[in-house]
């Protein structure tokens, strides 16, 4: 039986390793645009130069799994079409292409490996006194702004968002903003309408909805928006965000040979997060096993335990949530919060490769 996994992030790597371990006789092939496993939750550290977000993909996969470096153009009729004109046959395929970034012109996207690498190079070349602007008030923006501010205290860092620290309770949000201010980050609660080009590739003038504007030597886009168009381009039914519409077992409602896991699966109540990756991949592989045994898949329900936002390397805000991701009032900060964040980093990576050794 041939199983192809499209994407080698947290969800894809986990699914490939678990299929290889649990499904006897499965020939597993992973297709990924690059030969590295990228820890997306560490891309802000990649930009700041404080940690590498890339690991050789081979070290993340079980022996016997084939990795194919390339881009997928279409999935359907038992064929995975590749950009180089070749194709792979499959009996089952797992879509694990994650979420994506649609940056405003003149900005560098934070949430992609290519964007992080470009931003790292530009940031390293900035002279003292330069200004870095991070657009996006959610966790990605907060973590990017704080990491850069801590690593480069010689540059001015500004974060712009309609509600900086969003997605947390009032107390946790205020503590997040205090942490940013402690690092010297300027907080601008406003929306961006335009980034006018300057003399360099990623510098220019940032225009706000309030009609204010300011110069920026490096402008970073830290807002996730939707998923890659592979499912829609392949003729699979998708929701308003472009995520694959799935049944209770995480199978496409269009083609039952196609499973969708992680951010690209259209599951009500799920959010873009590394917490989504492992649990959905785990359930999808269980669904495949049940189907192969002649049973109907069990219904999937996402479950969450918290939201954690790092504020440099020694501080973080860890917000507790209920299983359905609604917020509890409890949160942990400081070094304890940073330890929880580090545990989340390590746990997400370990979870994706847990089956490598046996």
């Amino acid at each position: 039986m041939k199983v192809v996994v499209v994407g080698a992030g947290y969800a894809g790597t986990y699914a490939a390793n678990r299929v290889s371990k649990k499904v006897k006789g499965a020939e597993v092939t992973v297709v990924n645009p690059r030969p590295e496993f990228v820890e997306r939750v560490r891309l802000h550290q990649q930009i700041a130069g404080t940690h590498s977000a890339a690991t050789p993909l081979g070290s993340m996969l079980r022996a016997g799994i084939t990795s194919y470096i390339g881009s997928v153009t279409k999935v359907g009729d038992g064929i995975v079409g590749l950009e180089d004109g070749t194709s792979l046959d499959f009996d089952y395929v797992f879509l694990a292409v994650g979420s994506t970034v649609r940056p405003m012109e003149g900005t560098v996207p934070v949430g992609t490996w290519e964007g992080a690498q470009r931003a790292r190079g530009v940031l390293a070349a900035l002279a003292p006194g330069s200004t870095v602007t991070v657009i996006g008030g959610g966790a990605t923006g907060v973590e990017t702004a704080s990491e850069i501010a801590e690593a480069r205290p010689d540059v001015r860092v500004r974060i712009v968002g309609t509600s900086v620290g969003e997605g947390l309770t009032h107390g946790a949000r205020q503590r997040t903003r205090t942490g940013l201010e402690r690092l010297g980050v300027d907080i601008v609660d406003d929306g961006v309408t335009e980034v006018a080009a300057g003399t360099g590739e990623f510098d220019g003038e940032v225009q706000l909805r309030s009609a204010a504007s300011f110069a920026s030597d490096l402008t970073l886009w830290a807002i996730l928006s939707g998923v890659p168009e592979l499912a829609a381009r392949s003729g699979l039914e998708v929701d308003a965000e472009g995520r694959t519409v799935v049944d209770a077992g995480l199978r496409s409602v269009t083609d039952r040979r196609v499973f969708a896991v992680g951010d690209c699966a259209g599951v009500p109540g799920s959010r873009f997060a590394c917490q989504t990756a492992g649990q959905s991949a785990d359930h999808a592989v269980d669904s495949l096993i049940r189907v192969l045994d002649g049973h109907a898949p069990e219904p999937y329900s996402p479950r969450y335990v918290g939201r954690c936002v790092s504020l440099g390397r020694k501080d973080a805000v860890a917000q507790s949530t209920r299983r359905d991701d609604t917020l509890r009032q409890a949160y942990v900060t400081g070094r304890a919060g940073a330890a929880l964040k580090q545990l989340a980093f390590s746990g997400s990576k370990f979870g994706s490769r847990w089956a490598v050794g046996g």
Side-chain angles (χ1 to χ4, degrees), residues 221-311:
W221 187 266
I223 302 172
L224 298 181
S225 53
V227 302
E229 297 177 349
L230 176 60
R233 192 167 59 239
S234 299
L236 303 176
E237 184 177 346
V238 297
D239 64 14
E241 292 184 289
R243 302 184 301 173
T244 305
V245 177
V246 293
D247 65 10
L250 297 181
R251 298 178 298 179
S252 164
V253 297
T254 308
D255 186 340
R256 296 304 179 90
R257 296 169 297 178
V258 177
F259 292 85
V261 295
D263 290 350
C264 70
V267 178
S270 68
R271 61 178 166 91
F272 295 161
C274 58
Q275 289 181 72
T276 304
Q279 58 178 307
S280 62
D282 187 63
H283 188 90
V285 176
D286 280 348
S287 294
L288 173 60
I289 293 170
R290 289 184 63 83
V291 168
L292 294 175
D293 288 340
H295 304 297
E298 297 287 343
Y300 171 68
S301 177
R303 55 192 183 280
Y304 297 95
V305 296
R307 305 179 183 186
C308 199
V309 181
S310 64
L311 298 162

Side-chain angles (χ1 to χ4, degrees), residues 14 17-18 21-22 282 349-358:
Y14 187 105
N17 283 329
R18 194 155 192 268
K21 184 173 185 177
K22 295 293 186 180
D282 187 63
K349 185 176 183 180
F350 176 78
S352 294
R353 71 184 303 274
W354 69 274
V356 170

Side-chain angles (χ1 to χ4, degrees), residues 145-146 149 157-159 177 179-187:
S146 56
V157 180
R158 177 188 289 115
I159 183 170
R177 294 167 71 92
L180 286 167
E181 291 168 348
R182 176 183 59 80
L183 291 168
V185 177
D186 296 331
I187 300 173

Side-chain angles (χ1 to χ4, degrees), residues 103-109 133 135 194-198 200-206 216-221:
M104 184 177 289
E105 186 176 357
T107 68
V108 188
T133 302
I135 301 174
E194 183 184 7
V195 178
E201 185 178 7
F202 297 115
D203 70 339
E205 189 172 76
V206 178
S216 178
D217 298 292
L218 171 60
T219 306
L220 303 175
W221 187 266

